[in-house]
Amino acid sequence: MTTADLRIPRDLYTALKTHVTQAQESAGYLLCGMIEDGERVVLLGREWWPVRPRYRLISSHGMAWHPNFDVAMLNRAQNERLGCVLVHHHSGGSPQLSPTDRETCESLLPFLSSEAPDRPHAFVVMGDRAAAGRVYRGGQLVASLGDTAVVGSAIDRWPAATLGLTSPRASRVGVVSNCGGGFLTAQLVRSVSEAACVTVLAENFPSREALRALRECDVIVACLDRFQARDDLNRFCKRYLIPLIDLGIEVALSHDSVPMTASIPGRISKVQPDGPCLRCQGVVDDARLEHERGGRALGQLENPRLPDPAIITLNGVVASIATTEVLQVLTGFAGRESPNCGWIYDGVTGVVERVEKRFRGCSVCVKERGVGDA
Ligand SMILES: [Zn+2]
Ligand SMILES: [Zn+2]
């Protein structure tokens, strides 16, 4: 491992930044889950703990706190199986560790990383859209901080401060699909961005191969006809802080002797690392999963199913909206105008509506966000 990347959900980053950029120099612990794949490590921001006033000490050279705070954080990290990332701020676009920072780092990180040797820990200086840092494991300095990404309605990616300006990596888009809408979206993403690397998994989630491939994606698109697979993928995206765009459309037929089209509900649901998940949004719930396990799926499978070619134009509408959302995540073109939960499409009236929902903090969002491989 020569570098380790850092991924932080936007709401945690906002809280962190507010604290570390206040007038009085301050710091805190970002406790992180992680992705570990051989030599590659990605730290995933899960909890932010600023140094509390009662732990602060008066010091001639900037911030200082009582060692009890470090011990409290180490205990918390051990209990939750997380890594410790100590964060403070320097203004400017190319932050570096000062001599005092190096002293603090060299006295603290070998201790933290020998006490909890089974995962990496780091000392990070954040600047304005740049970060630098050192990563320790088992008492040793093992890597420097690589890319930092703030993930929310769009991905804000900072190159490693120590490397200067590097060209952004090509985006990686994962598509998990067992129906036409997903394949169409993959085709559209490929045609709007030659740089995008699109991986299509036409298999049930989660297989081991799917997990390995998808952990590395910048954004995941799903078009699945089972609630269980959707629920698993929802959980997975929260664990690894990856934006998910889940789409589906069905043609519900009437129960007349000659079935007629009753309704054509389409849906493009977004799950942002800092937003409501599919459970918070009511797209997936235990009742639906239970019903599906009982042999009958709600939604597409409940009605007589039309073959994909019959609904290719309807799939085309939702696939186009989903692809536009992929572009929003990768480029942020719509800024704050993009809805937090996606869009509803009515295939009968042709009306597309924004979906805005409040973050409900369901068990998936609270317990699993940012835990990574743990
Ligand atoms: Zn400093
Ligand atoms: Zn949730």
Side-chain angles (χ1 to χ4, degrees), residues 25 63 88-90 96-102 104 123-126:
E25 192 176 6
M63 52 167 192
H88 75 290
H89 180 265
H90 291 181
Q96 298 294 332
L97 274 67
S98 69
T100 318
D101 291 339
R102 280 200 286 274
T104 311
F123 185 94
V124 169
V125 185
M126 286 210 172

Side-chain angles (χ1 to χ4, degrees), residues 42-119:
V42 182
L43 297 161
L44 306 165
R46 172 154 168 79
E47 299 179 0
W48 167 243
W49 295 91
V51 176
R52 298 273 177 235
R54 66 190 166 104
Y55 287 112
R56 295 190 73 110
L57 300 176
I58 308 296
S59 160
S60 53
H61 46 271
M63 52 167 192
W65 57 88
H66 196 278
N68 280 357
F69 182 65
D70 301 310
V71 173
M73 287 295 101
L74 181 62
N75 285 339
R76 171 91 194 156
Q78 291 276 55
N79 288 339
E80 302 290 318
R81 302 167 56 84
L82 300 170
C84 295
V85 177
L86 193 57
V87 181
H88 75 290
H89 180 265
H90 291 181
S91 50
S94 54
Q96 298 294 332
L97 274 67
S98 69
T100 318
D101 291 339
R102 280 200 286 274
E103 255 173 54
T104 311
C105 176
E106 279 156 21
S107 72
L108 194 53
L109 268 292
F111 161 72
L112 290 174
S113 63
S114 355
E115 288 294 312
D118 52 343
R119 59 191 77 103

Side-chain angles (χ1 to χ4, degrees), residues 234 238 275-281 359-366:
N234 178 54
K238 279 287 171 184
C277 75
L278 291 182
R279 278 177 173 264
C280 290
Q281 295 181 36
F359 183 66
R360 285 214 324 243
C362 76
S363 64
V364 171
C365 289
V366 174

